[in-house]
Amino acid sequence: MGTADLEILYEDNHLLAVNKPAGLPTMGVAADELSLFVLARQYIKRRMNKPGNVYLGIMSRLDAASSGVVLLARTSKAAARLTDQFRTRAVEKTYWAIVAGAVQPTSGEMVDWLRKNEAKGRMEIVAANQPGAKEARLSYRRVRRVDDGSLVEIELHSGRKHQIRVQFGARGWPVWGEPKYGHAPPFAEGIALHARRLVVEHPVRKKRIEFVAPLPQAWLELGIDE
C-alpha cells in the first residue's frame, strides 16, 4: 500500500481525514512497517513539496483490524483544540458493527466499567470500585439482520480501548472476525467494526464539520447499503 491508495475524506490547512482500511495500523509500529501515520506524512510531504518534517497529530485512533474515519491535525494549534473536544466529549462518534446473533432489545444503552488485564493483554469488565476501572458508555440501535448476525449502529459516549468489542462480546454478541472477546463468525477484512462518522468543531472556523467513511468492499458484498 502506498500514499496513492489513501482514501482522503477531507483536507485543508488544519485537518486531514482519512478512511483507514482494515489491517493497517494507525501508528505505533516498528520503523520499517507501514502505518496510517507514516503514509499520511508521506502524502502531505509529497502534496506540499515539503523537504523537512511534517507535523501531524493523530486525533482519533482505530485498532488495526478496524476500518473507518481517522482524523489528523496538521498543526499543533488544531491538535490542542481537538484534544479538548475529545476530552470533554464534545465530538460525535458513530460506528457500524456486524455482531453475532439477534441483538435484543433492538436499541438501548450499555454502561460498564473497564480495566486492562495486563497479564492477559486484554480489556475486561470489572466492578466500578475496582482500581483503574473507567466507565464505558454507548448507545446502539439494531439496523437490520445480516445472515445470522445483526448490523448495529453505535454512538460512543466514551472512548475506552476495545470498548465496543468488549461490551458487545460480554453480552453474547461478539463482532464478526473478533478473535479476543468472543467466538464470532470470520470476516473477510479484519473485523466487522467501522468508524462510520465523526463530527467535530473545526478548530479554526468554529463550525461543526462531519466526516463520513464509505463502507469497505466486504460490507457491500453482504448487501449492506451505504
Side-chain angles (χ1 to χ4, degrees), residues 25 29-35 38:
V29 297
D32 59 343
E33 294 183 36
L34 279 183
S35 68
V38 169

Side-chain angles (χ1 to χ4, degrees), residues 3-140:
T3 56
D5 300 312
L6 280 180
E7 184 177 355
I8 306 300
L9 302 175
Y10 178 85
E11 179 183 0
D12 65 19
N13 290 333
H14 313 281
L15 302 175
L16 178 68
V18 180
N19 188 8
K20 187 188 86 65
L24 179 68
T26 303
M27 62 183 303
V29 297
D32 59 343
E33 294 183 36
L34 279 183
S35 68
L36 180 71
F37 181 73
V38 169
L39 289 175
R41 286 188 68 179
Q42 292 174 353
Y43 167 81
I44 295 295
K45 282 176 68 72
R46 187 187 77 244
R47 184 168 173 79
M48 303 302 295
N49 194 26
K50 286 194 171 185
N53 289 330
V54 169
Y55 178 90
L56 276 181
I58 298 284
M59 296 292 100
S60 59
R61 187 181 302 190
L62 295 178
D63 297 331
S66 304
S67 59
V69 179
V70 173
L71 180 62
L72 304 96
R74 292 189 54 191
T75 68
S76 58
K77 179 184 290 187
R81 291 176 177 175
L82 288 167
T83 297
D84 283 342
Q85 292 184 48
F86 279 92
R87 179 179 52 80
T88 59
R89 301 181 184 177
V91 303
E92 297 177 34
K93 296 178 284 186
T94 304
Y95 285 74
W96 283 10
I98 307 172
V99 301
V103 174
Q104 291 289 349
T106 57
S107 63
E109 187 177 56
M110 296 181 185
V111 182
D112 295 294
W113 292 80
L114 304 186
R115 181 179 67 179
K116 185 173 183 180
N117 185 320
E118 297 290 350
K120 295 183 179 180
R122 52 178 283 165
M123 303 298 290
E124 60 185 10
I125 294 176
V126 298
N129 61 358
Q130 291 295 303
K134 295 182 178 179
E135 185 186 49
R137 183 183 299 269
L138 61 80
S139 56
Y140 72 89

Side-chain angles (χ1 to χ4, degrees), residues 135-146:
E135 185 186 49
R137 183 183 299 269
L138 61 80
S139 56
Y140 72 89
R141 69 178 183 93
R142 192 178 82 190
V143 178
R144 51 166 285 196
R145 295 297 304 275
V146 179

